[in-house]
Amino acid sequence: MQAAPAQQLDHAAVRAAADRIAGAVRPVAVAPAADEGVWYALEYLQHTGSFKARGARNFLAAHHEAGALPAAGVTIASGGNAGLACAWAARALSVPATVFLPANAPRVKVDRLRGYGAEVRLVGDRYAEALAACEEFAATSGALSSHAYDHPLIAAGAGTLLDEIRGALPGLDAVVVAVGGGGLFAGVATAAREHGVRVVAAEPENCRALNAALAAGRVVDVAVDSVAADSLGATRVSADALAAARQEHVTSVLVPDAAITAARRALWEEHRIVVEAGAATALAALRGAPEPLGERVAVILCGANTDPGDLVTPTA
């Protein structure tokens, strides 16, 4: 097996990712919002229901190009969007995927992963136990270990979204993006800096891994307690995300859960758009902004793997 591909997050890496995933992912659709000068980037329409498909496909394709994909395939510990994206990308490239989950993971997640062809292994009753088992499997089997967000190839794949948005909205002034572990943010901010586009990094008040890292001057662990914790509940942000957030074109914003819930409901009531609370966090940040962000602003609606039951009012 050859050496792993280069692992550096810069605009060249984002451009290379765009070439690798072209034709494999859905180009983002952009639609006008109710507010003048605001557009929604409808990335929740992406394969597997979130932006994660971009990074997963780039990660595996880059290793495939380098001849660095082991016979044991790829492994990841995640029952959420990252696990689904990894399984989807692996199937597309005919690569074995082994996904580790706690034994109490919802059956619907297990079924979806198996539907993508992944081998699902249920271990323990906490994510940490599943993660430890995944790491042991990678070490003993030689499988390629993937990560939900903390890898330059994952972030670079996610960053391809920015240039697609710019293609649809020439003269883009700013983009608002929700931040969990920081993979999407790091990639988008890296591409945005190249084009002078302002980035607003939105986090729930009680899921503030990036904001806390900026305040501390280093990556730190944070407590997680938010309506958006299922997708933005990383306990720490990636080093690449922190580096990107230190650029002067980036603003870190915290929003309360009430605003996130209101934004999610507004998307449904105004546009019949159903997204995760994590995706609605970006809109909540825009609505709470003290001043306009520019004449052309894009809000990334990054995922829709959610139960819409609490949005729909039963009819008589």
Side-chain angles (χ1 to χ4, degrees):
M1 186 182 300
Q2 299 179 21
Q7 299 180 4
Q8 178 177 344
L9 181 59
D10 53 23
H11 194 243
V14 176
R15 290 198 305 268
D19 291 337
R20 285 193 198 99
I21 69 176
V25 301
R26 294 170 179 154
V28 69
V30 176
D35 299 326
E36 182 71 23
V38 177
W39 281 261
Y40 294 139
L42 309 180
E43 184 63 1
Y44 67 90
L45 298 175
Q46 188 55 258
H47 292 292
T48 76
S50 87
F51 73 94
K52 296 282 189 180
R54 295 174 180 268
R57 181 63 187 239
N58 185 51
F59 179 80
L60 289 180
H63 281 83
H64 183 267
E65 286 177 3
L69 270 179
V74 63
T75 187
I76 190 172
S78 170
N81 291 339
L84 292 170
C86 181
W88 167 81
R91 183 184 67 175
L93 292 171
S94 299
V95 175
T98 306
V99 181
F100 286 79
L101 298 172
N104 57 3
R107 182 59 181 265
V108 64
K109 291 186 176 182
V110 174
D111 290 345
R112 286 194 68 190
L113 287 165
R114 287 176 175 156
Y116 284 128
E119 178 182 346
V120 179
R121 299 195 180 185
L122 304 175
V123 179
D125 58 5
R126 295 182 298 115
Y127 172 75
E129 294 173 274
L131 176 60
C134 179
E135 292 172 343
E136 181 180 0
F137 173 77
T140 57
S141 70
L144 175 65
S145 183
S146 186
H147 195 277
Y149 60 87
D150 195 1
H151 194 286
L153 289 169
I154 298 290
T160 59
L161 184 56
L162 191 279
D163 280 340
E164 290 183 15
I165 295 172
R166 288 184 61 251
L169 294 174
L172 180 68
D173 293 307
V175 61
V176 188
V177 56
V179 183
L184 176 61
F185 162 73
V188 166
T190 297
R193 181 175 64 177
E194 187 75 12
H195 303 293
V197 175
R198 181 180 177 186
V199 180
V200 175
E203 295 176 280
E205 289 179 339
N206 295 318
C207 281
R208 53 183 296 265
L210 179 64
N211 186 268
L214 284 168
R218 59 185 175 83
V219 173
V220 294
D221 288 333
V222 297
V224 171
D225 181 17
S226 168
V227 67
D230 60 338
S231 56
L232 302 184
T235 57
R236 58 169 43 204
V237 78
S238 70
D240 281 331
L242 176 56
R246 285 172 166 160
Q247 305 300 320
E248 62 180 38
H249 72 295
V250 174
T251 303
S252 172
V253 173
L254 299 178
V255 292
D257 274 7
I260 295 170
T261 299
R264 181 170 176 263
R265 177 158 291 279
L267 284 167
W268 166 251
E269 292 179 346
E270 296 171 10
H271 303 283
R272 286 302 187 257
I273 290 175
V274 178
V275 295
E276 301 165 15
T281 300
L283 177 58
L286 176 69
R287 291 194 164 189
E291 58 185 30
L293 300 178
E295 295 181 359
R296 290 201 162 200
V297 179
V299 178
I300 298 177
L301 301 181
C302 55
N305 289 317
T306 184
D307 182 357
D310 60 340
L311 293 173
V312 181
T313 302
T315 56

